[in-house]
Amino acid sequence: KKHTGKNWISLAGRFSFRVQSIVIAFNTLHASNVSGCLFQPCDKLTHSLCPPSYWVRWPAPCRQGKTNINSDSSVFLLKKYKLHVRFVSEQQFRLDYEPLLRTLSCDTEQQFTEVLNEILQEVDRRRRFSATSAERSAVIKDIYQPLHPQLYCLQESYLAPKFKKIIEYCQRSDASQQGLLDLLEEEAAPRVYRFPVFERGFCEQLMEELENFEQSSAPKGRPNTMNHYGILLNELGFDEGFFTPLREQYLRPLTSLLYPDWGGRCLDSHKAFVVKYDMNEDLDLSYHYDNAEVTLNVSLGKDFTDGNLYFGDIRQIPLCETECVEVEHRMTEGLLHRGQHMHGALPISSGQRWNLIIWMRASQERNKLCPMCDRKPTLVEGMGFADGFTKHSDASTLVSCVLT
Ligand SMILES: O=C(O)CCC(=O)C(=O)O
Ligand SMILES: [Fe+2]
């Protein structure tokens, strides 16, 4: 099927600098292997849609996550230089990046030391993340009064009718990938699918809730180093009543048919957050891959101009062989893609853009090879779903990865 996104080859040299610097960066760190994608039936958790009561925000966590402690092989974003780098040791980092950083005007020893310090601080932040996140969740639970408590529990009425129709099809015993593709109508970029997810009223209320939270005195954890104004939805208590049933009952039937080769049949945890772009805050998001097997990105609004997404290829393909496709994102609609499919967001030129991002993970895939560091993960206990790894000896225990 022909994709509907705009191909960058045909666009004016608007993005040439950006692509150039990314090409250099990724050629430098291009040493990764494609993970083998085998699947076995996963141990399914059963969640049913819960009643619209406020308590569902805070049931006991049903699984414990694990983290990969291979922090000596991590990927970092140097925002100032718009560059993702891999840091193993100072020596490796100097060898791999000193010449490149010089071309990006990081050309004194002092500037280089600042970069090193920034990375070391980030290593420390990632090591402490699980504990600080748990502390924040406890305080939020104590002091934050939700504006729309009913939102914390998934209701069928929040979902777009077309989305429910698609999922109904996926749940049929005779459902096939081709049948689903016919129903989806649109492939925005190769293996990137667009479809309505929520009703407009739900998107508006969710943004009101999150604005209310931002204005409150509750502590805020940011989703990752790429985005300074996002909100981690698990810390607010959205996981159990909202995102777990959404993933298990609605999204997994869909990803099972679309991405069986990327763990789509056994997505067993997620990280859900909102990213926000504003003229006075973050404007764009540089080219990256997600710490996820499959990602759903839903546009919540508000009014904005520009800020399109762009997709390249999966990260194992060298950038010099990559053709980028620009994809429009429309309020209430979702873009579903492979986490390892490289992408970014172009700058908005007015207004405010909010997106709901669900990074979905398949422990069976990532236990074999961490999608961020390309190694077999070394695991430590984490809170909640953590980074979606599990200990083989104990499938009910999830573990996390310091690379997010
Ligand atoms: O802003 C967007 O739409 C993309 C966000 C994204 O790719 C991410 O947070 O992983
Ligand atoms: Fe992303």
Side-chain angles (χ1 to χ4, degrees), residues 1 27 32 37-38 49 67 79 101 125 182 201 212 217 234 238 295 297 311 313 326 378:
K1 193 183 279 188
N27 280 347
S32 44
C37 292
L38 303 168
L49 290 182
T67 296
K79 216 167 165 89
L101 281 165
R125 189 193 70 87
D182 292 343
N212 186 57
S217 59
N234 65 316
F238 270 97
T295 296
N297 175 341
F311 285 87
D313 216 318
E326 195 176 326
T378 308

Side-chain angles (χ1 to χ4, degrees), residues 19-266:
V19 173
Q20 189 94 31
S21 66
I22 296 159
V23 170
I24 301 165
F26 277 87
N27 280 347
T28 313
L29 56 80
H30 183 73
S32 44
N33 300 312
V34 182
S35 75
C37 292
L38 303 168
F39 355 88
Q40 298 132 20
C42 59
D43 56 323
K44 288 198 177 65
L45 294 173
T46 43
H47 284 267
S48 53
L49 290 182
C50 50
S53 53
Y54 176 49
W55 68 266
V56 296
R57 283 177 71 214
W58 303 108
C62 59
R63 297 188 79 165
Q64 272 284 300
K66 295 270 187 290
T67 296
N68 176 8
I69 57 161
N70 279 334
S71 56
D72 57 347
S73 171
S74 298
V75 179
F76 296 88
L77 171 66
L78 302 177
K79 216 167 165 89
K80 187 170 167 194
Y81 301 102
K82 289 197 178 251
L83 186 67
H84 279 91
V85 294
R86 197 173 286 254
F87 180 88
V88 176
S89 66
E90 182 173 338
Q91 195 191 16
Q92 160 272 334
F93 185 71
R94 276 189 187 278
L95 261 171
D96 287 352
Y97 295 103
E98 210 168 353
L100 171 60
L101 281 165
R102 282 195 194 288
T103 67
L104 300 173
S105 61
C106 171
D107 42 20
T108 64
E109 187 52 33
Q110 192 191 338
Q111 283 170 317
F112 196 80
T113 309
E114 277 167 22
V115 167
L116 274 175
N117 286 342
E118 188 185 325
I119 292 176
L120 293 174
Q121 266 179 24
E122 179 56 17
V123 168
D124 190 51
R125 189 193 70 87
R126 290 177 190 188
R127 284 214 173 103
R128 288 182 292 107
F129 185 82
S130 210
T132 50
S133 178
E135 280 163 23
R136 278 192 301 271
S137 299
V139 177
I140 293 168
K141 182 181 172 184
D142 267 0
I143 68 168
Y144 177 62
Q145 196 59 46
L147 180 67
H148 297 298
Q150 74 282 4
L151 290 186
Y152 291 75
C153 184
L154 182 62
Q155 310 285 314
E156 289 250 329
S157 60
Y158 301 161
L159 303 173
K162 167 93 184 179
F163 179 63
K164 287 187 272 194
K165 213 171 124 199
I166 291 168
I167 304 308
E168 264 166 39
Y169 173 79
C170 297
Q171 286 164 337
R172 275 169 41 178
S173 56
D174 62 343
S176 67
Q177 190 182 68
Q178 192 48 55
L180 173 59
L181 292 177
D182 292 343
L183 203 60
L184 284 174
E185 289 163 18
E186 196 177 2
E187 191 177 13
R191 298 194 77 181
V192 178
Y193 303 100
R194 188 208 315 272
F195 45 86
V197 178
F198 294 118
E199 292 282 47
R200 184 170 277 264
F202 169 81
C203 297
E204 285 164 355
Q205 286 202 342
L206 182 61
M207 282 187 295
E208 280 173 15
E209 178 67 38
L210 298 175
E211 279 177 327
N212 186 57
F213 175 70
E214 269 300 344
Q215 281 152 18
S216 77
S217 59
K220 283 117 202 157
R222 301 306 177 190
N224 50 52
T225 45
M226 298 186 298
N227 197 287
H228 294 114
Y229 300 92
I231 296 173
L232 282 165
L233 296 174
N234 65 316
E235 292 186 2
L236 259 121
F238 270 97
D239 263 359
E240 202 70 13
F242 194 99
F243 288 108
T244 298
L246 183 69
R247 168 173 49 80
E248 294 189 337
Q249 293 170 29
Y250 294 88
L251 298 173
R252 200 167 50 199
L254 189 59
T255 58
S256 297
L257 287 171
L258 292 176
Y259 306 110
D261 47 344
W262 290 90
R265 287 201 276 230
C266 46

